[in-house]
Amino acid sequence: MKIVIVGGVAGGASAAARARRLSEKAEILLLQSGPDISFASCGMPYFIGNEITDRKSMAVQTPESLRRTLNIEVRVLSTVTDIKTDEKTITVRDDAKGDVYTKAYDHLILAVGAAPFKPPIPGIERPGLFSLRNLQDMDQIYAWIEKKQKELGEGDMRCVVAGAGFIGLEMVEQLVHRNMNVTLVEAMPQIMGPMDVEMAAILHSDLEAHGVDVIVNDPIASFAEAPKDPESSILTLKSGKVLPAAQLTILGLGVRPDTDVIKQAGIEVTPRGHIVVDETLHTSASNVWAVGDAVEITNPILGEKWAVPLAGPANRQGRMVADNIFLETKRKYKGTWRVSIVRSFELYAACVGLNDKLLKAKGLPYSVVHIHPNDHAGYYPGAEKVHLKLIFDPMLGKIYGAQIVGKAGVDKRIDVIATAMQGNLKVEDLAELELSYAPPTGSAKDAVNYAGMAAQNTVEGLVSQVQWTELETLASDPSTVILDVCNPGEIEGNGPLVPTALNIPLGELRSQLNEVPRDKKLVVSCASGQRAYYACCILKQNGFPDVQNLAGAFMTTSFARQTAA
């Protein structure tokens, strides 16, 4: 059997390795357009920032190591220029020698990945502007930084990162670590698009606290040569704002599937260029499979299709395709849940599933709880807040998604919720999960348990909630009273939730119920949400007819306000 794999890195290399483990007799040819067959693409920002110092470690596998350990023929600098699915052949150009040849296959695996998106912005091809896709890009950026820091002196180099997604935030962090002045420019109204605005706002504020100039909702309009410095660029934004001359610009403006040759071959792709596959990852062409960033796969929450360019799914897809080629029982890819995490200085931000924006666009009913517990037992030194947003079906308790930001324990909690979602658990199941506990690492009731309990209370009608987005409208409504159960000292220190809020501390609420109007809607808040929930229970059990809890309370609202100001 002849297997040809187009593209290495995550999906292609995994498919090749698994295929060899399943068959010693198969002829396996792995083609890669660049010089590196399998490399640590997710680690490249950390090498640029000198957090990873061993350049050799960035090449996870080399052509020689794959030949030696797995007997896989590897050809780098080889570009596929044509695919004839009816003849089961591909045409390959050897970019080193210029030769062109045809290769036959029994099975073809497409792991072509995605290329950086470079919109037609005037000046985008200027020197000092870089995308980051491969080790060659990484080396060029590193060399450019070394050159410019020698010319200017460390601390005097100015950089712009265009795009505030995963790569953008990682590059911002690493450039700051290298003592550069960094501006982050994002065309959308917020950074970190997979998260909702109030959660992304935590990262936004932290970036500014680390000296990063963050600009949102203002796309780049042009790049121009700086006066007296042809290697520096003046960036003008759509608003007309002109940024100081930058010696380095990182273009993290998203990616597009690298599928031009595949479209020309008649293999079905979506209007956006992603390869269409069935549940076994087989394409529309006989004996042609596809994996990785260029593939449209199932969104298992909605049962629809979406494209999620992440390394973990690509690796698993590559392995599955090899299984489906060699094994009688065909494995079905269940979909990608979009589990992701990024580090930004001391903070980690993680998410899984759907967010507000997607659910609103679909017109689906959903509810949200925000909680702010400690990452471990409060009495044990070093406890830090974990900010957790859980999104769910308000009637059925189905978990739609979650977002978490904090300094510690973010990864394990997003993984627990992601696993629960993949096991079809509901919010009430989160409340009952048995999780590990020791004072240095967690609490007897973990943040995941708390989130499940808060959501369960909502589903079962024990508490009604309003969101921070509704607060301004409710505060101006004469039929609504905002009740703040914080202590007066907290309000003096942090400022009021709204100027018209009625303040009765929780400890005094029972004795002052006569001061709370019964003929109005009550929206109850505190610092982080727990006392407000207690107050809601007191009020409801004392006959107040219309009581609602402000989800996330002052803390969530203040995060959103900080970046909106």
Side-chain angles (χ1 to χ4, degrees):
M1 182 185 293
K2 297 177 181 179
I3 299 174
V4 176
I5 303 169
V6 182
V9 195
S14 294
R18 179 64 170 176
R20 175 56 72 221
R21 288 193 292 270
L22 294 175
S23 173
E24 271 293 307
K25 295 181 179 180
E27 295 180 23
I28 304 172
L29 172 62
L30 184 54
L31 301 170
Q32 175 70 15
S33 58
D36 300 293
I37 195 66
S38 180
F39 56 91
S41 57
C42 297
M44 293 189 296
Y46 303 103
F47 180 83
I48 292 169
N50 283 331
E51 196 165 336
I52 296 173
T53 56
D54 183 2
R55 173 61 175 80
K56 292 181 180 179
S57 69
M58 300 301 293
V60 179
Q61 292 282 358
T62 65
E64 292 74 21
S65 67
L66 284 176
R67 290 189 190 103
R68 185 176 60 253
T69 60
L70 294 171
N71 190 28
I72 293 171
E73 182 181 1
V74 178
R75 299 181 188 177
V76 296
L77 299 174
S78 298
T79 301
V80 175
T81 60
D82 188 33
I83 302 171
K84 288 185 168 56
T85 58
D86 53 343
E87 300 176 7
K88 291 189 177 179
T89 63
I90 61 170
T91 302
V92 184
R93 183 183 66 240
D94 185 328
D95 294 325
K97 300 177 181 179
D99 298 338
V100 176
Y101 60 91
T102 299
K103 191 73 178 177
Y105 64 83
D106 294 310
H107 288 273
L108 177 65
I109 302 174
L110 302 172
V112 293
F117 176 60
K118 293 180 74 172
I121 300 172
I124 199 168
E125 300 298 336
R126 284 189 42 72
L129 278 63
F130 299 92
S131 297
L132 183 58
R133 185 189 189 190
N134 53 42
L135 296 185
Q136 289 66 53
D137 295 334
M138 179 190 78
D139 290 337
Q140 289 175 10
I141 294 169
Y142 192 93
W144 186 267
I145 292 171
E146 293 287 295
K147 171 190 170 185
K148 288 298 176 182
Q149 286 193 327
K150 286 179 181 177
E151 292 174 359
L152 299 170
E154 194 167 325
D156 294 326
M157 188 172 174
R158 185 171 295 278
C159 308
V160 173
V161 176
F166 293 97
I167 294 293
L169 291 189
E170 290 167 351
M171 283 303 304
V172 165
E173 177 197 56
Q174 294 304 312
L175 295 174
V176 170
H177 285 170
R178 294 201 62 173
N179 201 24
M180 300 182 202
N181 303 297
V182 181
T183 298
L184 176 61
V185 179
E186 171 56 54
M188 302 302 289
Q190 65 167 83
I191 67 170
M192 237 357 230
M195 306 195 84
D196 288 314
V197 61
E198 74 277 18
M199 300 298 288
I202 306 170
L203 293 172
H204 186 133
S205 297
D206 188 66
L207 287 167
E208 292 181 330
H210 282 87
V212 179
D213 183 16
V214 182
I215 300 171
V216 296
N217 209 26
D218 203 357
I220 297 170
S222 67
F223 302 92
E225 182 178 314
K228 301 180 182 179
D229 186 1
E231 291 188 333
S232 294
S233 294
I234 300 289
L235 279 71
T236 301
L237 307 184
K238 186 178 181 181
S239 66
K241 182 181 178 69
V242 179
L243 303 184
Q247 291 74 50
L248 170 68
T249 300
I250 301 296
L251 302 173
L253 301 173
V255 296
R256 62 170 185 80
D258 196 1
T259 53
D260 289 345
V261 172
I262 294 161
K263 283 186 278 188
Q264 293 168 12
I267 297 170
E268 185 180 0
V269 299
T270 70
R272 295 180 59 194
H274 294 93
I275 304 168
V276 175
V277 294
D278 64 16
E279 58 189 0
T280 68
L281 301 174
H282 193 276
T283 72
S284 62
S286 176
N287 285 20
V288 180
W289 313 76
V291 301
D293 293 356
V295 172
E296 183 187 64
I297 37 72
T298 299
N299 174 333
I301 306 164
L302 296 176
E304 300 176 355
K305 297 290 185 178
W306 63 355
V308 182
L310 291 172
N315 272 284
R316 294 190 298 277
Q317 290 163 13
R319 185 179 192 274
M320 181 176 290
V321 162
D323 285 353
N324 287 340
I325 290 172
F326 286 101
L327 302 180
E328 289 187 15
T329 301
K330 301 305 177 188
R331 304 194 193 281
K332 296 179 180 180
Y333 188 70
K334 298 176 183 178
T336 296
W337 298 80
R338 200 171 69 165
V339 190
S340 52
I341 188 167
V342 65
R343 188 189 73 187
S344 179
F345 299 103
E346 292 81 24
L347 290 178
Y348 292 85
C351 53
V352 59
L354 308 180
N355 54 28
D356 278 356
K357 296 184 286 290
L358 281 169
L359 287 163
K360 286 177 181 175
K362 294 294 180 183
L364 293 173
Y366 68 95
S367 190
V368 168
V369 294
H370 283 276
I371 62 168
H372 308 280
N374 290 325
D375 69 305
H376 63 247
Y379 58 81
Y380 187 88
E384 299 279 358
K385 289 292 183 186
V386 172
H387 310 288
L388 194 159
K389 176 177 185 176
L390 186 67
I391 309 172
F392 55 95
D393 185 307
M395 300 298 292
L396 303 176
K398 177 182 177 177
I399 305 168
Y400 284 139
Q403 300 163 37
I404 310 177
V405 179
K407 291 185 176 181
V410 171
D411 52 346
K412 71 175 182 179
R413 291 177 175 103
I414 204 69
D415 287 344
V416 167
I417 295 174
T419 303
M421 291 174 69
Q422 292 171 64
N424 293 317
L425 301 189
K426 298 183 178 181
V427 295
E428 59 263 35
D429 299 308
L430 296 184
E432 297 296 326
L433 285 181
E434 182 177 347
L435 304 171
S436 64
Y437 160 60
T441 62
S443 300
K445 283 191 286 190
D446 189 80
V448 173
N449 297 131
Y450 274 123
M453 292 171 185
Q456 184 180 29
N457 286 337
T458 300
V459 172
E460 295 178 353
L462 298 177
V463 65
S464 298
Q465 294 204 109
V466 298
Q467 300 302 316
W468 66 271
T469 51
E470 305 170 72
L471 181 61
E472 185 176 344
T473 300
L474 290 168
S476 62
D477 182 354
S479 66
T480 300
V481 169
I482 311 299
L483 174 61
D484 191 335
V485 297
C486 285
N487 296 320
E490 295 175 272
I491 297 174
E492 291 175 11
N494 298 324
L497 179 68
V498 294
T500 57
L502 172 64
N503 177 220
I504 302 176
L506 178 65
E508 302 172 19
L509 182 59
R510 289 182 178 86
S511 62
Q512 296 184 34
L513 288 176
N514 61 323
E515 299 181 21
V516 182
R518 292 179 178 270
D519 59 344
K520 296 182 182 292
K521 175 190 288 187
L522 301 176
V523 176
V524 188
S525 180
C526 63
S528 62
Q530 189 173 53
R531 284 173 293 171
Y533 165 62
Y534 296 161
C536 286
C537 294
I538 293 170
L539 293 165
K540 289 187 70 173
Q541 292 178 47
N542 277 277
F544 286 81
D546 193 353
V547 181
Q548 294 183 307
N549 181 53
L550 177 63
F554 179 85
M555 191 170 289
T556 295
T557 305
S558 66
F559 289 145
R561 284 174 173 173
Q562 286 171 20
T563 53

